[in-house]
Amino acid sequence: MRKKESNIFKICKTTVFYPGKDFMPSSILLINKSINIISTIFIVIFLGFVLDFINAGFLIGNFGIFSLLVYVPLKVYLFAGIYGSVLDIVYGEEYVLGISNFNANAKKFWKLYCGCLILPFILFILIQNVSFFGFRVRLADVIYFSNVFVISFFIYYAAKIKYVSLSKKGCCTILDLFVILFCLCVEAILYFLDHYFALYEYLPGNFVVIGRLYVHFFEFIYIAHLFCNYYALPAGSNAEEKELFIINPAGGGILNYFGSFFLRTYPPIFLVLKALTPKYYRIREFNRVMWHKRYFKKGVLVAITSFSSNSPDSYYIAKEFKKLGAKVIMGGPHVSFLPREALEFCDSVVVGDCTSVWPEIIRDYEHNCLKKEYRGVFNSGYPLPIHEELMKAPLAEVKDFLETTRGCKFRCDFCTVPAICGSTINSKPISEVLELLSRFKGKYKLINFIDNNIFCNPQYAKELFKAMPPLNLKWVSQCTIDIAADEEALKLAKQAGCIGLLIGYEINASSLEKDKKGKLSLADKYIEYTKKIKKAGINIKAHFIFGFEDDNFLSLFKLWIFCLRINPAITVISFLTPFPGTKIYSDMLGAARIESLNWRNYSCQNQVFKHKNINSLFSLFVYPLIYVFFLFTTSKVGYLLVIIAIFVLSFD
Ligand code: B12
């Protein structure tokens, strides 16, 4: 006869220890889901940490109680935005926490958090001179308790909604309560360790503060789940709906990986696909996200854009979606040259431009007859639907897809553009460019043209520059240095608002690469042309490449001296990378010189091929130092960063 089990044990049995129908008890799943969500909003935790850090480390010390005038509004914005966005994520309204919906949510819920954050401070002012067990309450304590207060207020607010109460059966298991209490305790312990035993003096970078914030937000999301599971699904979200997931996975290489979250621009391809996809598709965008398995979904169409350095992430995501039965299409400058490799992971590949084939792909998808490969016409110009989409899409998205020409007059053997665009140079109708730019007038101070080379069609460029002054826009773009040979073009560019050009110098005047034809043969004129561009009042972001045939550490030193003479606004030194589709890729492959085909390393920051003078292991450790050394010692921005660093470090 089985022994009569006590209540607690029964509950634990059902919720934790004994596998019921679903192996994983709801709480464990909830913990897992909450960790998933929290890591997609890591940027907010980081912002919360920076806010607390600046407040505790600077504002309070210098402005005392007045620091609250800065701290509280920012904290309200952060919590209100998080609160609303967690609800969005839990309901499936949004998959990813985007800045746009974050702002919208902050506006929606700020009053709620204004109340709960101000209350503790009023209390503080009242109990200023009171001490508890010999501890005098300090402002920092109040800041901490305000966080706990937020959680408790969140519970009250959610419980206030009649539909749901903690006591409702199945709403909250013992384990859930244990998880919440456990987190609150961990938070309290971390707080006291931090504040009363100065743990931060032992641990670098205040891990304790960010750890405490992480736990704090975890609680937040965990409780959000507990309540939201019982809300009715919002109107309008139906399962029949056709969904298109557009994904731009994070790039490879440390700089690119974190750059992907903080600095990444809005991928132009997203706007192209949105313009060409029928409006009855619900489109979900994944650009600046740390990918998580909770994003995988069956029954959807998935479009993944990949260049070499993010292709391993792209392949992993494609494979997992395909396993679920979703249909996966890939495209971009990497898979266009290695379609067979991509087809091992996805259903279809678009080689070249998708504008001419995407409507056919949608049709084939809806008739369940997708082909393995779709050959788009490379560089197929600027179809009107895309311009129309750009004319109505949010400026925050369009600003990263301002393109006047596509293609380049040079055919450098390390660049993919000649293979992507062929010898044709496509110029967008100037009327369309001006119409689009007029949307930015008075709204954006600075815009960026993504042209590979804004001076690839000099006639067109000068005509455009002549028409731009009335827009009163400042702009930057990529350009080849031969613009300096055309005084008129340089003057017109400046009058049109050009303040900076990214110029691919690639080599210095003493490099043997200059004997090759093309833009590198201009190397002897680099100093003269640089002076002309600077004299025209245009800043230079100088890009150099290390790793050419005869490069060695002496040539690197000469390159450094050359950069000092150029003294651009920013110096960027990349490592020669044989991208698929480039001449050096096929040459090196043919000569069996490629050492690594781990595409993550194809981010211009790693040596992936054998070099007679440079050892790849050596460059692995030295390249980041070379990158920073060249930036800090040869460029104006570098000098500024050094001064700021000295200023901040001299603060202690
Ligand atoms: C704008 C641009 C950028 C922008 C934004 C790129 C983005 N997509 O988010 C910024 C400045 C951020 C950037 C950064 C880098 N870039 Co860049 N960039 C370009 C540039 C000039 C234009 C790309 C673009 O957006 N064109 C407009 C859109 C509409 O066209 P598209 O992206 O080319 O896509 C077309 C087709 O490929 C296809 N397609 C593309 N994706 C998909 C997806 C699907 C599902 C389908 C069906 C079709 C499809 O259809 C599109 C048009 O119809 C290209 C050069 C070029 N002309 O292609 C280099 C280029 C893509 N960049 C390149 C590189 C190497 C980089 C960096 C690694 C450089 C570095 N050192 O850091 C970084 C990577 C940063 C990161 N993301 O992590 C290389 C890529 C080579 C490779 N095989 O990987 C290129 C080709 C330049 C070159 N000279 O070789 N870049």
Side-chain angles (χ1 to χ4, degrees):
M1 220 309 277
R2 270 162 63 86
K3 203 164 62 45
K4 191 157 164 357
E5 294 156 354
S6 73
N7 254 350
I8 293 288
F9 183 61
K10 210 183 305 160
I11 292 172
C12 293
K13 190 178 92 176
T14 51
T15 54
V16 177
F17 300 116
Y18 286 81
K21 193 160 42 37
D22 319 322
F23 175 67
M24 286 292 220
S26 64
S27 315
I28 304 292
L29 286 173
L30 208 51
I31 293 172
N32 181 17
K33 227 171 158 188
S34 304
I35 291 175
N36 268 343
I37 289 185
I38 203 167
S39 39
T40 48
I41 60 171
F42 203 78
I43 190 169
V44 176
I45 297 168
F46 188 76
L47 290 177
F49 161 62
V50 172
L51 183 61
D52 278 3
F53 197 60
I54 292 172
N55 192 52
F58 174 72
L59 291 178
I60 291 185
N62 294 292
F63 307 102
I65 200 117
F66 297 100
S67 68
L68 304 181
L69 300 174
V70 179
Y71 178 72
V72 171
L74 283 175
K75 201 89 190 219
V76 167
Y77 169 78
L78 212 58
F79 274 112
I82 287 272
Y83 175 59
S85 305
V86 168
L87 290 185
D88 283 347
I89 291 177
V90 171
Y91 283 152
E93 275 298 298
E94 293 297 337
Y95 276 67
V96 180
L97 184 76
I99 292 298
S100 56
N101 50 355
F102 187 92
N103 285 336
N105 286 317
K107 287 201 192 88
K108 214 156 61 187
F109 293 104
W110 72 269
K111 293 193 199 71
L112 164 70
Y113 285 95
C114 213
C116 69
L117 266 181
I118 288 183
L119 209 59
F121 294 108
I122 296 165
L123 271 179
F124 169 66
I125 295 161
L126 297 175
I127 60 172
Q128 274 277 348
N129 306 321
V130 180
S131 73
F132 293 90
F133 312 104
F135 283 120
R136 281 182 62 67
V137 176
R138 303 172 315 159
L139 187 55
D141 303 339
V142 172
I143 289 173
Y144 165 60
F145 281 109
S146 72
N147 289 348
V148 176
F149 194 77
V150 165
I151 287 279
S152 42
F153 194 92
F154 175 51
I155 296 174
Y156 156 73
Y157 182 75
K160 193 161 70 59
I161 302 171
K162 297 283 170 291
Y163 319 121
V164 177
S165 70
L166 271 183
S167 60
K168 196 168 170 192
K169 186 170 168 326
C171 163
C172 174
T173 65
I174 301 287
L175 186 61
D176 296 324
L177 283 179
F178 171 76
V179 170
I180 297 166
L181 287 174
F182 173 75
C183 290
L184 282 173
C185 297
V186 170
E187 214 187 328
I189 292 164
L190 284 177
Y191 175 77
F192 286 99
L193 284 178
D194 185 18
H195 278 259
Y196 287 92
F197 305 99
L199 202 61
Y200 51 80
E201 276 162 13
Y202 310 108
L203 274 181
N206 255 336
F207 275 122
V208 179
V209 178
I210 205 163
R212 181 160 53 78
L213 265 176
Y214 190 95
V215 176
H216 182 68
F217 282 127
F218 171 82
E219 287 158 21
F220 208 69
I221 292 161
Y222 193 87
I223 297 171
H225 263 98
L226 277 183
F227 293 113
C228 301
N229 282 351
Y230 289 80
Y231 286 168
L233 267 186
S237 54
N238 65 54
E240 300 320 301
E241 197 170 44
K242 285 202 175 321
E243 281 189 287
L244 169 64
F245 283 34
I246 310 179
I247 306 171
N248 184 22
I254 294 296
L255 287 174
N256 272 340
Y257 196 76
F258 282 98
S260 308
F261 301 115
F262 296 111
L263 306 168
R264 178 172 267 184
T265 54
Y266 187 83
I269 182 65
F270 279 25
L271 283 158
V272 171
L273 294 177
K274 285 200 282 188
L276 302 176
T277 302
K279 297 300 174 235
Y280 52 79
Y281 275 79
R282 174 164 196 154
I283 295 182
R284 307 259 186 201
E285 302 177 18
F286 299 83
N287 183 31
R288 292 178 178 197
V289 294
M290 219 186 256
W291 190 263
H292 271 285
K293 52 185 180 301
R294 81 185 176 85
Y295 300 150
F296 291 121
K297 188 174 181 184
K298 57 178 179 287
V300 295
L301 176 61
V302 181
I304 305 177
T305 184
S306 93
F307 33 82
S308 298
S309 67
N310 73 346
S311 53
D313 297 73
S314 308
Y315 291 153
Y316 155 71
I317 293 170
K319 192 179 72 200
E320 296 301 315
F321 267 113
K322 204 175 166 204
K323 261 199 228 151
L324 281 176
K327 290 294 177 202
V328 185
I329 321 280
M330 291 186 75
H334 179 80
V335 296
S336 287
F337 301 104
L338 299 168
R340 285 221 320 278
E341 174 190 274
L343 281 168
E344 286 171 35
F345 305 95
C346 65
D347 298 284
S348 306
V349 169
V350 170
V351 173
D353 242 324
C354 70
T355 44
S356 51
V357 290
W358 190 250
E360 181 194 347
I361 291 172
I362 292 286
R363 265 196 316 280
D364 291 355
Y365 166 67
E366 288 174 357
H367 297 88
N368 208 6
C369 58
L370 275 174
K371 303 183 191 64
K372 284 230 166 286
E373 199 172 297
Y374 292 84
R375 282 193 167 273
V377 185
F378 269 113
N379 201 9
S380 56
Y382 296 94
L384 197 56
I386 296 174
H387 179 65
E388 284 156 0
E389 177 74 22
L390 293 177
M391 285 309 292
K392 63 180 189 315
L395 287 180
E397 295 173 5
V398 177
K399 73 172 173 36
D400 296 325
F401 189 11
L402 294 174
E403 195 177 35
T404 70
T405 57
R406 194 173 295 170
C408 186
K409 57 188 168 196
F410 296 108
R411 307 183 66 72
C412 307
D413 55 15
F414 53 80
C415 179
T416 326
V417 172
I420 288 176
C421 304
S423 51
T424 53
I425 290 176
N426 255 310
S427 308
K428 192 169 186 177
I430 290 185
S431 58
E432 282 186 14
V433 176
L434 296 175
E435 194 191 2
L436 189 57
L437 292 179
S438 61
R439 291 192 66 197
F440 291 81
K441 195 170 180 203
K443 297 204 180 77
Y444 274 75
K445 287 259 169 307
L446 179 66
I447 57 169
N448 166 35
F449 288 113
I450 64 164
D451 296 44
N452 305 308
N453 178 2
I454 195 134
F455 198 61
C456 59
N457 175 346
Q459 201 43 47
Y460 169 90
K462 284 192 248 185
E463 232 184 281
L464 175 67
F465 297 161
K466 279 187 194 129
M468 284 178 67
L471 292 163
N472 192 18
L473 286 168
K474 296 275 175 275
W475 55 273
V476 294
S477 181
Q478 300 182 99
C479 187
T480 42
I481 199 160
D482 61 329
I483 190 171
D486 185 328
E487 300 281 339
E488 186 208 4
L490 213 46
K491 203 159 108 283
L492 287 171
K494 180 62 188 169
Q495 287 164 351
C498 179
I499 61 163
L501 292 174
L502 183 161
I503 294 181
Y505 289 76
E506 324 304 5
I507 58 171
N508 64 352
S510 61
S511 164
L512 299 177
E513 291 294 314
K514 73 177 180 199
D515 304 337
K516 290 186 178 156
K517 288 200 218 47
K519 85 171 180 181
L520 300 184
S521 61
L522 300 168
D524 290 331
K525 293 201 177 284
Y526 277 176
I527 300 293
E528 175 203 339
Y529 285 170
T530 304
K531 284 198 181 104
K532 283 190 175 164
I533 294 171
K534 285 183 171 181
K535 198 156 148 282
I538 295 174
N539 296 303
I540 296 175
K541 182 181 181 192
H543 271 237
F544 293 89
I545 294 178
F546 182 59
F548 287 112
E549 214 47 45
D550 303 301
D551 279 352
N552 51 33
F553 290 96
L554 176 60
S555 70
L556 186 65
F557 176 72
K558 286 184 184 157
L559 184 62
W560 180 63
I561 299 294
F562 187 75
C563 289
L564 282 176
R565 290 180 61 197
I566 296 262
N567 186 227
I570 300 175
T571 313
V572 174
I573 182 155
S574 303
F575 213 100
L576 183 68
T577 304
F579 287 113
T582 62
K583 184 172 174 310
I584 56 168
Y585 174 75
S586 34
D587 294 353
M588 287 185 178
L589 208 59
R593 286 183 55 200
I594 297 213
E595 280 181 334
S596 152
L597 279 176
N598 169 357
W599 301 120
R600 268 212 183 84
N601 295 334
Y602 283 62
S603 61
C604 309
Q605 293 153 20
N606 303 286
Q607 179 182 349
V608 294
F609 58 91
K610 288 194 203 86
H611 192 285
K612 62 181 182 212
N613 306 327
I614 313 163
N615 169 298
S616 50
L617 202 60
F618 182 88
S619 52
L620 182 67
F621 295 100
V622 173
Y623 169 75
L625 302 174
I626 295 171
Y627 185 95
V628 173
F629 180 74
F630 268 65
L631 175 67
F632 281 159
T633 57
T634 66
S635 73
K636 295 186 180 62
V637 169
Y639 302 153
L640 189 64
L641 291 172
V642 171
I643 294 163
I644 293 170
I646 294 167
F647 174 73
V648 171
L649 293 173
S650 61
F651 232 94
D652 280 348

